[in-house]
Amino acid sequence: MKAVSVSEEAPIILVVDDDQFIRDLLRRVMEKDGYQVVEATNGEQGLAAYKSINPHLVMLDALMPVMDGFTCCQHLQALTTSSPLEGKMLNGKSLHNNARTPVLMITGLDDPESVDRAFQVGATDYITKPIHLAVLRQRVRRLIEQFQLYKKLEEANLELHRLATLDGLTGVANRRRFDEYINDEWQRMIREKLPISLILCDIDYFKKYNDSYGHQGGDACLRRVADALRFCVKRSIDLVARYGGEEFAVVLPNTSAVGASKVAEEIRALVNQLQIPHAQSLVSEHVTLSLGFACMYPTPSTSPTTLIGAADEALYQAKALGRNMSFPKC
Ligand code: GH3
Ligand code: MG
């Protein structure tokens, strides 16, 4: 495989063929049309090149030494359906990249079995040798355009999903996402026979905070508290959500009451350390939180409502006992 420095703009075509004449021909034609070309001489090299350059189109010969085009195509299909979209994690869930890089088989085999087999292993299109260059150029243009369009659509969908599940003010999960997540995790914990904990956190005397610092000051405070919660919650399966106006929820799957108590205390302590001035608070000079937490082993006859009710009761106790504290209900 020739080393190629790949620039950002022009689409990249990976040509996998053991015949140097064909590779040179395809390179010439494709470069003339403004594409970048990377070459590989068999299926194995092709796979390695695919992983490192992430091309917009693969041109694949069928019969090659080491690994033929059919096997290579099968591997390519497995790669594109199992690799999580890079960096796209949403509340601990990875979203899969379904935009498959098109594979165009260019081969001397024109018997019906080979054509069927190529499509079975995931080829997007098929062209036989001798290559009709005008047809090839049109097919390539169309395949790349479709791929780019599909990718844009996927990105737009991802962004839509993100916006639909996040709280606009604080950037943590919204109530809708909380409901969906606690139900999903409840079911999962039933299957795995594991406990789940929930912490509800409420800012103390927040009405008075708004009275002192205005609604915008209140919004800024909510953002800082949300950041503190995010900082304390480290596992990717834990979820921080805005539960209501100045109330946040933390879902902790596979977490005991002892674990939940530690996280709740960490959150409480960190918000204290932030020392956000709160002149009218009756418990401190700074913004404080009251937290209630509960832990349950979910069963098919129970629902998250029970856990939420228990955490809410604990939060009520924390308020009643003087605020700026975490209280359990297990
Ligand atoms: P407690 O210590 O008992 O929790 O008292 P509190 O004043 O915090 O509770 P209360 O429920 O009486 O008031 C909550 C306040 O939170 C009232 C509401 O205006 C304010 N609030 C709710 N959502 C927002 C928001 O998005 N931004 C701002 N700035 N304030 C909000
Ligand atoms: Mg409050």
Side-chain angles (χ1 to χ4, degrees), residues 202-206 246 319:
D202 186 284
I203 304 178
D204 296 323
Y205 300 114
F206 195 60
E246 27 83 79
K319 290 280 181 193

Side-chain angles (χ1 to χ4, degrees), residues 48-264:
Y50 180 93
K51 285 179 199 161
S52 66
I53 61 168
N54 213 357
H56 296 76
L57 172 72
V58 181
M59 288 183 179
L60 196 56
D61 186 20
L63 299 180
M64 290 178 289
V66 187
M67 182 193 284
D68 67 25
F70 300 107
T71 315
C72 176
C73 197
Q74 227 161 1
H75 283 293
L76 286 175
Q77 192 172 27
L79 273 181
T80 44
T81 49
S82 67
S83 63
L85 212 58
E86 230 177 288
K88 305 288 186 198
M89 297 283 288
L90 199 76
N91 301 321
K93 280 189 178 172
S94 63
L95 294 166
H96 288 270
N97 184 359
N98 294 313
R100 289 197 49 230
T101 305
V103 177
L104 174 58
M105 276 226 169
I106 305 180
T107 169
L109 302 174
D110 62 355
D111 58 291
E113 291 75 27
S114 298
V115 177
D116 285 351
R117 194 172 161 214
F119 284 106
Q120 267 164 18
V121 295
T124 324
D125 209 343
Y126 195 93
I127 275 187
T128 49
K129 293 174 188 170
I131 304 167
H132 190 311
L133 289 177
V135 172
L136 174 73
R137 291 172 61 211
Q138 291 304 327
R139 295 261 175 97
V140 167
R141 188 181 55 78
R142 197 202 58 199
L143 286 172
I144 290 179
E145 271 174 14
Q146 281 176 350
F147 176 59
Q148 287 176 326
L149 213 69
Y150 196 84
K151 266 186 23 177
K152 274 195 190 139
L153 196 69
E154 273 214 325
E155 278 162 21
N157 273 338
L158 197 69
E159 181 62 7
L160 262 180
H161 188 258
R162 197 183 68 82
L163 290 174
T165 55
L166 285 190
D167 172 54
L169 177 68
T170 60
V172 298
N174 61 16
R175 175 63 182 267
R176 184 183 141 175
R177 175 69 184 138
F178 167 82
D179 290 338
E180 182 186 274
Y181 193 73
I182 199 165
N183 277 305
D184 287 353
E185 287 304 302
W186 191 265
Q187 295 307 321
R188 194 167 72 85
M189 294 302 106
I190 292 175
R191 287 193 301 274
E192 299 184 12
K193 298 184 171 50
L194 292 169
I196 182 167
S197 289
L198 173 69
I199 306 173
L200 289 179
C201 325
D202 186 284
I203 304 178
D204 296 323
Y205 300 114
F206 195 60
K207 195 171 178 313
K208 290 181 186 292
Y209 188 92
N210 272 334
D211 293 345
S212 301
Y213 305 99
H215 204 80
Q216 287 195 339
D219 284 355
C221 175
L222 285 169
R223 278 195 288 263
R224 291 192 68 188
V225 169
D227 287 346
L229 278 145
R230 257 197 300 237
F231 183 84
C232 293
V233 171
K234 296 174 185 85
R235 298 183 317 167
S236 64
I237 57 163
D238 299 337
L239 181 91
V240 176
R242 187 158 173 214
Y243 188 70
E246 27 83 79
E247 195 169 349
F248 294 91
V250 184
V251 183
L252 302 165
N254 188 15
T255 302
S256 65
V258 176
S261 163
K262 275 186 192 152
V263 178

